[in-house]
Amino acid sequence: MAKKIPTRRLLQFGIGIVALGVAAAVIYSERGQLSGTTRVLSTASVGLVVLGFGLEVLSDISYSLMTYYLLPTDLGRLTRRWFFGASLAAIAMNDSIPLGAGFSVAYLYRKLRGRGCSVLQATAGLLAGNLLAIVVLLVLLGFVLVEHTQATSVLSNLDVVILFVLLLLAAAAIVRMDRVLVVALGLAVHLRRLFHLKQGSNEANLETAAQLRFSARALLQASLGALGNWLFDLATLVLSLTAVHAHVGLVGVTSAYMLGALAANLPITPGGLGVVEGSITVALIAFGGAPSSMFAAVLLYRVVSYWVWIPIGWISYFLLGGLHER
């Protein structure tokens, strides 16, 4: 008698198929853009394209290490190689399905729980990793604003104050993650009591949360990972401009990249599709670039940093067992 496949496994497999279908639909809808990108690649240096892909590999490795160093180190099953594969799957979710940012975090949380992380360890690591990425991006943006008066003129004084406040709040939340978790759990307890809901497990309690703090070494390693993630990705954009013989000053390219990075984190389209391309191209033109070459360079950059990684990430998703932890 054939063994019956559990409903849970069928549901997990179905979610993966639906997500992959949505990703395929997004790619198909942009076939005109991809066609134009193919023509750009045919005139670009193959060596530079390969080098750009290598830089994106380093960027994604740095991205995974940014969170990995904030996770417990005493779990034998939680290896760098495994977490890199899980991060690629999460990136594919973020870049190819609606509300992908939420699904990608939920996916990583479930995989970490399956590898032995506690509720608090997984929550703190993922939350701190995302906050750290924002902190480093805002710091880099601050350097651009200080070094380039034209970039400063794009933002009002109120905008600068808001960004500075966000930087301080995010940095404080990372350093005192124990207090953040205590407040969050305390609020959850009050809400459960208010609505007469069942209390959570003893594992995620206030006493445990109050003891959870990151070491200085872990924060330094994770910060270097966050810095590498942004800088290697920025280097890919610079390389793309070089590949199509486009010329814009480094500060101008950095400013345009920062705008694109901020746009990518807005929950408008998966992975900032269309929004990132438009914002970077317009910014590059504003900094003196020729429209045709700027558009070609941005398309090349997005192929290497975005489109290529969607199928790679979904392959990693299935190899790691989908939502189920092997």
Side-chain angles (χ1 to χ4, degrees):
M1 182 177 178
K3 185 178 179 181
K4 183 179 179 181
I5 301 177
T7 304
R8 180 180 176 184
R9 293 296 301 278
L10 289 175
L11 179 61
Q12 292 171 350
F13 182 75
I15 291 174
I17 292 296
V18 170
L20 192 57
V22 172
V26 171
I27 294 174
Y28 181 76
S29 68
E30 296 295 321
R31 59 191 181 280
Q33 175 175 303
L34 289 176
S35 176
T37 303
T38 302
R39 291 194 294 272
V40 173
L41 287 174
S42 66
T43 63
S45 168
V46 175
L48 290 179
V49 173
V50 173
L51 180 58
F53 179 78
L55 290 174
E56 280 304 315
V57 172
L58 294 176
S59 176
D60 287 340
I61 290 175
S62 299
Y63 173 80
S64 67
L65 291 177
M66 174 186 69
T67 302
Y68 178 82
Y69 285 124
L70 299 174
L71 297 171
T73 58
D74 57 346
L75 300 177
R77 300 181 66 208
L78 192 58
T79 63
R80 290 183 182 88
R81 183 173 64 178
W82 174 87
F83 192 70
F84 176 60
S87 295
L88 290 181
I91 290 172
M93 287 184 181
N94 181 74
D95 290 349
S96 61
I97 61 176
L99 302 177
F103 283 111
S104 64
V105 172
Y107 167 78
L108 281 177
Y109 172 82
R110 181 159 184 169
K111 301 299 280 188
L112 289 174
R113 292 284 288 131
R115 289 270 157 163
C117 285
S118 69
V119 171
L120 289 177
Q121 289 170 336
T123 301
L126 293 174
L127 177 59
N130 282 281
L131 288 174
L132 192 57
I134 295 173
V135 167
V136 173
L137 179 63
L138 290 177
V139 170
L140 292 175
L141 179 60
F143 280 117
V144 172
L145 295 177
V146 170
E147 291 294 328
H148 203 281
T149 55
Q150 187 176 353
T152 306
S153 64
V154 175
L155 301 176
S156 66
N157 291 333
L158 179 60
D159 293 328
V160 174
V161 171
I162 292 174
L163 290 174
F164 183 70
V165 171
L166 290 176
L167 171 63
L168 291 180
L169 289 176
I174 295 169
V175 175
R176 292 309 308 267
M177 183 57 63
D178 55 334
R179 297 301 307 164
V180 173
L181 292 175
V182 166
V183 172
L185 288 173
L187 179 61
V189 169
H190 287 301
L191 289 176
R192 288 193 182 101
R193 290 174 179 172
L194 179 64
F195 293 101
H196 305 288
L197 299 176
K198 183 180 179 181
Q199 294 298 316
S201 64
N202 293 328
E203 182 182 24
N205 56 61
L206 296 175
E207 182 179 353
T208 305
Q211 299 173 354
L212 200 158
R213 298 188 69 174
F214 300 114
S215 67
R217 179 178 179 180
L219 288 175
L220 176 60
Q221 291 174 320
S223 299
L224 291 176
L227 182 62
N229 171 48
W230 294 120
L231 291 184
F232 285 126
D233 193 43
L234 170 60
T236 303
L237 177 59
V238 174
L239 195 67
S240 299
L241 287 162
T242 304
V244 297
H245 310 290
H247 303 286
V248 176
L250 181 59
V251 175
V253 177
T254 305
S255 301
Y257 174 79
M258 293 299 168
L259 291 176
L262 292 173
N265 288 281
L266 296 176
I268 301 175
T269 58
L273 181 61
V275 180
V276 172
E277 290 86 348
S279 60
I280 294 180
T281 302
V282 170
L284 288 173
I285 294 173
F287 283 104
S292 58
S293 58
M294 294 304 103
F295 183 65
V298 172
L299 289 181
L300 177 60
Y301 160 71
R302 287 292 273 175
V303 166
V304 176
S305 65
Y306 177 83
W307 289 106
V308 171
W309 294 98
I310 291 178
I312 292 176
W314 282 112
I315 290 172
S316 179
Y317 171 85
F318 285 111
L319 289 177
L320 292 176
L323 294 177
H324 178 70
E325 177 57 34
R326 292 177 178 175

